C-alpha cells in the first residue's frame, strides 16, 4: 500500500495537490476538512459540533477526530486497497500516534509525508483570494489568523515527529501547481 500524508499549513495546497496525487496514484483521498464540511452541509450532529470549531479556526478534539477517521477507513476499506492520501490528518501529535496505530492494526503504515512549505504572507494571500469565491466560513482574515496560530502551536511540531521517523519529504510549495507536483512525484517515487 502507498499511504501518503499531505502536510502543510492552511492554504499550503494540500487539497490542490491531492487532486494530482489521486489521478497519478489512484489512491483513496480522505480530507478530514471535507468530511466535516459535508456533515455541516447535511446538518448532522457531528456537523453541528464541527461548525463551532471550524468557524473559530480551532481544531476538533482529537478523540472525536480519530474516531471519525477510523470509521471512514472502515467504510471505504475497499477503495483504500491501493492506499490512502491523508489530507488534513494528522494535525496533532496524538493524532499522528493514533494514525500509526490504526495503520499498524491494518498491516500497513505511512509511506511518506509530503510537507508543503509555504511562507505565511503567501498563505494569507491565497486564502483571502479563495475566500472571495468559496463561501468557506473560515476563509476570512480573523479566522485565517487563528488557523495559522493553531497550525504553529499544534500541527507544525509534527514535522519533527515525521523527520525522526525518516519519512518526511520537504517540498517547496511556492511556484506553479505543476512544478510543485513534479517535486512531490519525485519524493513519493523515491519512498514507495
Ligand atoms: P482543512 O479543510 O484541512 O483546511 P486547512 O488545513 O485550513 O487548509 P485548506 O483546505 O484551506 O488549504 P489546503 O492546504 O488544502 O490548500 P488548497 O489546495 O485548498 O480544515 C478545516 C478545518 O477543519 C480546520 O481548521 C479544523 O477546524 C477542522 N479539521 C480538519 N481536519 C482536522 C483534524 N485532523 N483535526 C482537528 N480538526 C480538523 O489551496 C488553497 C488556495 O490556494 C486555493 O484557492 C488554491 O487554488 C490556491 N493554490 C493552491 N496551490 C497554489 C499555488 N501553487 N500557487 C497559487 N495558488 C495556489
Ligand atoms: Mg484543503
Amino acid at each position: 500500500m502507498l499511504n501518503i500524508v499531505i502536510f502543510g499549513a492552511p492554504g499550503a495546497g494540500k487539497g490542490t495537490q491531492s487532486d494530482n496525487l489521486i489521478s497519478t496514484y489512484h489512491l483513496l483521498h480522505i480530507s478530514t476538512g471535507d468530511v466535516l464540511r459535508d456533515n455541516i452541509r447535511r446538518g448532522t450532529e457531528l456537523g453541528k459540533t464541527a461548525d463551532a470549531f471550524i468557524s473559530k479556526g480551532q481544531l476538533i478534539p482529537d478523540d472525536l477526530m480519530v474516531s471519525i477517521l477510523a470509521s471512514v477507513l472502515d467504510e471505504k476499506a475497499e477503495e483504500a486497497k491501493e492506499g490512502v492520501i491523508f489530507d488534513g490528518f494528522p494535525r496533532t501529535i496524538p493524532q499522528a500516534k493514533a494514525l500509526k496505530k490504526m495503520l499498524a492494526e491494518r498491516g500497513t503504515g505511512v509511506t511518506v509525508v509530503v510537507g508543503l512549505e509555504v511562507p505565511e504572507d503567501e498563505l494569507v494571500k491565497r486564502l483571502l483570494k479563495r475566500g472571495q469565491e468559496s463561501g468557506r466560513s473560515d476563509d476570512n482574515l480573523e479566522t485565517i489568523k487563528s488557523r495559522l496560530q493553531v497550525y504553529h502551536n499544534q500541527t507544525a511540531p509534527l514535522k519533527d515527529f515525521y523527520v525522526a521517523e525518516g519519512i518526511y519529504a520537504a517540498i517547496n510549495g511556492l511556484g506553479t501547481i505543476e512544478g510543485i507536483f513534479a517535486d512531490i512525484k519525485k519524493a513519493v517515487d523515491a519512498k514507495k
Side-chain angles (χ1 to χ4, degrees):
M1 274 176 90
L2 173 60
N3 294 309
I4 302 173
V5 170
I6 186 133
F7 180 78
K14 301 183 293 295
T16 304
Q17 297 297 345
S18 289
D19 290 341
N20 286 327
L21 286 166
I22 298 163
S23 40
T24 305
Y25 298 101
H26 313 289
L27 305 170
L28 171 67
H29 177 217
I30 303 178
S31 156
T32 43
D34 287 349
V35 171
L36 298 170
R37 282 184 292 275
D38 179 57
N39 275 273
I40 294 173
R41 261 192 304 275
R42 291 187 289 116
T44 65
E45 278 310 307
L46 169 60
K48 284 174 200 152
T49 307
D51 197 18
F53 290 97
I54 290 184
S55 56
K56 290 196 213 96
Q58 300 297 317
L59 298 183
I60 277 74
D62 284 337
D63 47 354
L64 179 56
M65 218 47 242
V66 168
S67 73
I68 294 168
L69 194 88
S71 52
V72 175
L73 273 181
D74 287 337
E75 268 165 41
K76 302 204 169 169
E78 196 55 36
E79 292 162 70
K81 270 194 175 145
E82 307 271 314
V84 179
I85 301 161
F86 295 95
D87 164 1
F89 187 100
R91 263 180 147 91
T92 63
I93 299 283
Q95 289 184 18
K97 290 182 176 164
L99 179 63
K100 191 172 178 174
K101 186 161 169 270
M102 248 185 278
L103 292 179
E105 283 163 3
R106 290 163 175 81
T108 183
V110 175
T111 314
V112 59
V113 177
V114 171
L116 294 171
E117 304 190 344
V118 178
E120 191 145 322
D121 55 342
E122 170 74 9
L123 297 170
V124 175
K125 209 167 80 186
R126 288 183 190 177
L127 294 173
L128 285 175
K129 185 166 174 235
R130 188 180 60 189
Q132 293 166 352
E133 306 133 21
S134 72
R136 254 179 75 160
S137 69
D138 56 352
D139 279 346
N140 59 77
L141 191 56
E142 197 190 339
T143 312
I144 290 168
K145 281 189 180 153
S146 113
R147 285 157 72 194
L148 289 171
Q149 197 60 48
V150 165
Y151 174 78
H152 288 302
N153 294 340
Q154 301 187 57
T155 307
L158 282 180
K159 175 175 171 175
D160 288 343
F161 177 92
Y162 284 121
V163 167
E165 301 244 311
I167 53 174
Y168 185 85
I171 301 289
N172 177 8
L174 258 189
T176 65
I177 291 167
E178 299 73 27
I180 295 164
F181 185 63
D183 291 343
I184 294 176
K185 194 168 177 303
K186 262 185 237 156
V188 171
D189 290 341
K191 292 278 184 193
K192 78 173 180 165

